[in-house]
Amino acid sequence: MDRQTFEAELARDGYDIQTNTTPGVKVNPEHSHPFDVRAMVVQGAITITADSKATTYRPGDRWDLPRGCLHAESYGPEGAVVLVGRKH
C-alpha cells in the first residue's frame, strides 16, 4: 500500500496521524497502548512481537493493534519511519 492511500484510510476511519522516526537500533519492551493502532512502514523495518509471534514489517506493510494488546517493538540498524494512526 502507498502512503497517500494509507493516510486517506486513516483519516476516513477517524485516526489521528503521526510519523514516528527511529534512526537506528532500538527495542521497546513489552507494553500496551490505551488506543487502537493502525500503522504502516514507510522506510526501514520494524519487528512487532505479540502473542509470542514476531512479525517483521517492511515498506508498504501495515498492521493493526487493538488497545490494550501487549506487544514489543524492535528496530534494526537501519531504523524505521512508520506512519502511525491512533484512535481513542
Side-chain angles (χ1 to χ4, degrees):
M1 174 174 290
D2 67 73
R3 183 178 185 148
Q4 191 172 20
T5 301
F6 186 66
E7 285 185 6
E9 283 185 8
L10 290 175
R12 179 198 68 209
D13 294 342
Y15 285 81
D16 296 324
I17 304 168
Q18 67 183 53
T19 302
N20 291 346
T21 301
T22 302
V25 175
K26 182 178 180 181
V27 174
N28 290 330
E30 190 172 69
H31 63 285
S32 65
H33 302 285
F35 44 79
D36 296 325
V37 172
R38 185 177 292 168
M40 184 186 83
V41 176
V42 176
Q43 180 181 342
I46 180 175
T47 299
I48 303 289
T49 302
D51 297 324
S52 300
K53 181 183 175 194
T55 304
T56 299
Y57 298 94
R58 302 189 190 296
D61 293 340
R62 55 165 286 186
W63 68 94
D64 293 276
L65 291 172
R67 73 186 74 216
C69 174
L70 288 174
H71 66 284
E73 305 162 4
S74 61
Y75 303 83
E78 76 280 7
V81 177
V82 180
L83 189 60
V84 180
R86 296 178 176 185
K87 189 173 185 180
H88 292 273

